[in-house]
Amino acid sequence: MIRAGALVLAAALLLALPGTAGAQIYRWVDERGVPHYTEGIDSVPERFRATAVALPMRKEPPAPAPAAGAPAGGPSGATGEATIRFTPGQRILVDARLNGSTSARLMLDTGADRTVVAPRVIAAAGISLTRGTAAGTMKGATGEAQVQSVPVESIEVGAAKVDRLVVISHDIDQSGVDGLLGRDFLDQFTVTIDNAQGVVTLSPKKR
């Protein structure tokens, strides 16, 4: 599914689980008429800030305290950067690694609050599927599904890495895809999507 002619999104997922508030995404158009999408007004070139448009984002309730054994404080230790190439008009697929070794083919989805990974991939990474930090309901076009949130040590895309992330264990029923790369990972970086060139860049946020 294509939103605003550039962002590739999965079917709308409403996760009844604690989430991470997303940074504001802005749309701006350069001198060639090419639209760009990036996080935070500081990431928009100064000469284009006056015409940048903030995209609407869903507000989420405050996250409850983590369950016993859950990683405290949410994602941490975001490092590195990555360049992802894609065919404009098609899904943006990324090759990710769980816990430094297990490969996963994820669809980049700026509309998903949480990263979703197939249970078989989580199990292949040596992560127990019985130690989920919380249970919840995921709603989609075909109905509701009971899902489980599971802590992972790290997720990497290229050299971009986020430590201590809690992902949703669920099969999204998309051919050739092991899950979704959501905003809980993406919000740790400055994300720029250049639809004309077919390039996504993840770069460290300025502190």
Side-chain angles (χ1 to χ4, degrees):
M1 181 184 300
I2 308 298
R3 180 177 296 174
L7 298 181
V8 176
L9 306 176
L13 298 177
L14 301 178
L15 298 180
L17 291 165
T20 302
Q24 181 65 59
I25 296 178
Y26 286 83
R27 179 184 187 275
W28 55 276
V29 180
D30 64 21
E31 64 274 5
R32 298 173 298 166
V34 176
H36 300 263
Y37 298 82
T38 190
E39 291 184 6
I41 192 65
D42 290 341
S43 299
V44 179
E46 189 170 356
R47 65 185 183 279
F48 298 118
R49 290 178 187 174
T51 56
V53 177
L55 301 183
M57 299 180 68
R58 183 168 76 249
K59 293 183 178 179
E60 301 173 18
S76 68
T79 57
E81 57 187 43
T83 299
I84 303 162
R85 300 193 178 278
F86 67 97
T87 301
Q90 302 296 318
R91 301 179 301 178
I92 302 178
L93 301 179
V94 303
D95 292 316
R97 293 185 304 279
L98 270 68
N99 289 2
S101 59
T102 303
S103 298
R105 188 75 160 163
L106 304 180
M107 181 164 59
L108 189 150
D109 187 354
T110 60
D113 301 325
R114 306 288 294 276
T115 293
V116 181
V117 181
R120 57 182 171 75
V121 176
I122 293 174
I127 302 168
S128 172
L129 292 171
T130 62
R131 64 174 187 181
T133 61
T137 301
M138 185 166 66
K139 298 180 181 180
T142 59
E144 296 184 356
Q146 296 300 310
V147 297
Q148 187 177 27
S149 60
V150 178
V152 300
E153 293 179 6
S154 66
I155 292 183
E156 299 169 70
V157 175
K161 178 182 179 182
V162 174
D163 293 321
R164 204 174 64 180
L165 193 69
V166 177
V167 304
I168 304 303
S169 173
H170 182 66
D171 277 310
I172 66 169
D173 195 25
Q174 289 271 345
S175 176
V177 176
D178 297 318
L180 305 175
L181 189 67
R183 292 208 318 267
D184 51 354
F185 180 94
L186 298 171
D187 284 354
Q188 310 308 310
F189 302 92
T190 295
V191 181
T192 302
I193 301 177
D194 187 334
N195 192 58
Q197 299 297 319
V199 175
V200 178
T201 57
L202 307 180
S203 55
K205 286 188 172 181
K206 296 179 180 179
R207 302 297 181 183

